[in-house]
Amino acid sequence: MLGRYADNLYWMARYLERSENMARRIDATLHHALTQTNDGAAEWSSVIVSNGNAALFNEKFSGHSMANVINFVLRDQANTNSVMSLLGKARQNARIVRTALTQEVWQSLNESWISYEKALKRPINIRDLPAILESIVKGSSLFRGALYGTMLHNDIFNFVRLGTFIERADNTARIIDAKYHRLLPTASALVGGPDQSQWEVMLRSVAAWRSFNWLNKGRLDPVGVAIFLIFDKRMPRSLSFCYKEISSNLHDLEMAYGRQYDAGDTARALAQTIKDGEQNNIHLSNLHDFITSFISTNNQLSLTIAKDFNLN
């Protein structure tokens, strides 16, 4: 496959995954804000920080109100990481490699874009927000379903999945890093009030609230949350699950192209680091260092993939 086509597939998937992650983060923050006595300004501020455009936001707005944050993160054209911008870039990349995609995959993305463009054309009314967020998440889910159900599981599929899971791992790690102090063993094992609501925001942000509660029978504790988000191989957005998929897709590419790549070695080494961390209870001692190192290595892996496969 030409490197530039692989690059389009890879970044199409990353942008689409990032837009869904942002929608889930907003939905979790909205749920938190509506259950608090204050306006939830601290949580809305953290959404801006995670979006990566805090300086631009502060230039345009004087406060982190719900309306300001929602419109900036979802539809602001000046924000390159707004959901609208991300979906536009995902669609543009998909158009370039249109012939490599099945009709179902292309239509799922194109029809979602048309729907989003209409819904996000004007400032968002808070009453419409839940439906808009649900639509974004459903559109991404429809894309994945079409991808799995209609695409050949070949190198095209592998590059799309690599983009998805590199982005997903980065998102989960950054959510953990932003609130790691609440997952330290010094935190109370079982608490109510603000800490519990913060853990709930974390879990809802990665679509893990229901599954965590199902496994833990409603027991919400910081160590349990850390173990679940980092090490649980059954949870589709845990770091362990992401690197199982990344390693698998890189292995498939190595088999298809008949050679071993540095990216594959890096992914397997990081997967082993996660496994060693679980065995050594690293989450109980230096969680922040572990997650910071993970984010750095995950970013480096993306660069290595680009180098190995001539993505440009």
Side-chain angles (χ1 to χ4, degrees):
M1 178 185 295
L2 292 176
R4 64 177 182 273
Y5 288 157
D7 185 68
N8 292 134
L9 292 164
Y10 177 80
W11 282 102
M12 173 191 69
R14 287 203 67 165
Y15 290 139
L16 190 60
E17 177 69 22
R18 193 178 301 174
S19 68
E20 179 187 350
N21 292 338
M22 187 54 62
R24 290 187 182 278
R25 180 68 186 275
I26 295 171
D27 185 61
T29 305
L30 177 65
H31 183 275
H32 170 78
L34 295 177
T35 59
Q36 303 301 305
T37 55
N38 55 38
D39 59 1
E43 276 303 313
W44 290 116
S45 176
S46 70
V47 171
I48 293 298
V49 172
S50 67
N51 186 253
N53 280 303
L56 177 61
F57 179 88
N58 292 331
E59 287 178 8
K60 300 187 68 171
F61 302 100
S62 58
H64 293 91
S65 69
M66 182 186 299
N68 288 346
V69 171
I70 288 171
N71 281 283
F72 179 78
V73 171
L74 285 183
R75 57 182 298 275
D76 197 306
Q77 294 182 358
N79 178 8
T80 57
N81 270 328
S82 71
V83 170
M84 196 68 178
S85 297
L86 293 170
L87 292 171
K89 289 186 285 190
R91 179 175 179 266
Q92 181 61 31
N93 277 280
R95 286 185 65 183
I96 295 171
V97 292
R98 171 68 184 85
T99 56
L101 306 175
T102 61
Q103 182 178 3
E104 291 86 351
V105 171
W106 164 251
Q107 284 183 341
S108 69
L109 182 54
N110 190 52
E111 290 174 3
S112 294
W113 160 256
I114 293 171
S115 174
Y116 304 146
E117 186 180 36
K118 181 179 179 181
L120 301 178
K121 187 173 295 184
R122 297 179 180 82
I124 298 168
N125 189 309
I126 188 62
R127 292 174 297 181
D128 300 326
L129 182 59
I132 292 173
L133 297 175
E134 182 180 4
S135 175
I136 293 170
V137 172
K138 281 185 176 180
S140 187
S141 298
L142 181 62
F143 173 87
R144 282 195 299 271
L147 183 75
Y148 268 106
T150 68
M151 292 282 293
L152 289 174
H153 287 208
N154 56 7
D155 52 353
I156 295 172
F157 178 87
N158 293 137
F159 281 115
V160 174
R161 299 304 286 165
L162 280 175
T164 295
F165 284 103
I166 289 287
E167 185 66 36
R168 185 175 295 182
D170 181 77
N171 178 68
T172 298
R174 290 183 186 279
I175 287 174
I176 296 170
D177 189 51
K179 299 181 182 295
Y180 79 94
H181 55 284
R182 297 185 181 276
L183 299 174
L184 295 175
T186 52
S188 301
L190 288 171
V191 299
D195 282 336
Q196 186 172 13
S197 69
Q198 292 290 328
W199 300 335
E200 182 178 345
V201 170
M202 293 176 68
L203 291 167
R204 287 185 182 276
S205 295
V206 292
W209 173 247
R210 186 177 296 274
S211 55
F212 180 87
N213 278 287
W214 186 83
L215 290 172
N216 294 275
K217 311 302 181 185
R219 179 184 176 88
L220 190 63
D221 67 279
V223 172
V225 172
I227 292 172
F228 191 63
L229 296 183
I230 300 172
F231 302 119
D232 198 305
K233 298 178 180 64
R234 301 163 295 178
M235 206 283 275
R237 296 177 184 274
S238 74
L239 303 187
S240 179
F241 187 97
C242 288
Y243 263 81
K244 178 183 69 174
E245 293 295 319
I246 291 168
S247 299
S248 175
N249 282 282
L250 283 169
H251 175 73
D252 288 347
L253 287 170
E254 289 176 335
M255 293 298 99
Y257 297 153
R259 58 165 294 187
Q260 188 167 327
Y261 291 94
D262 291 340
D265 294 337
T266 301
R268 288 184 285 270
L270 188 49
Q272 185 61 46
T273 298
I274 296 171
K275 184 177 180 180
D276 293 343
E278 182 178 18
Q279 294 173 345
N280 298 330
N281 291 328
I282 197 165
H283 57 283
L284 298 178
S285 56
N286 56 345
L287 176 63
H288 182 56
D289 292 341
F290 178 81
I291 293 298
T292 300
S293 176
F294 177 91
I295 292 171
S296 176
T297 306
N298 187 62
N299 289 338
Q300 184 58 49
L301 176 59
S302 182
L303 297 175
T304 305
I305 290 171
K307 179 180 178 181
D308 284 349
F309 299 102
N310 297 314
L311 307 190
N312 50 53

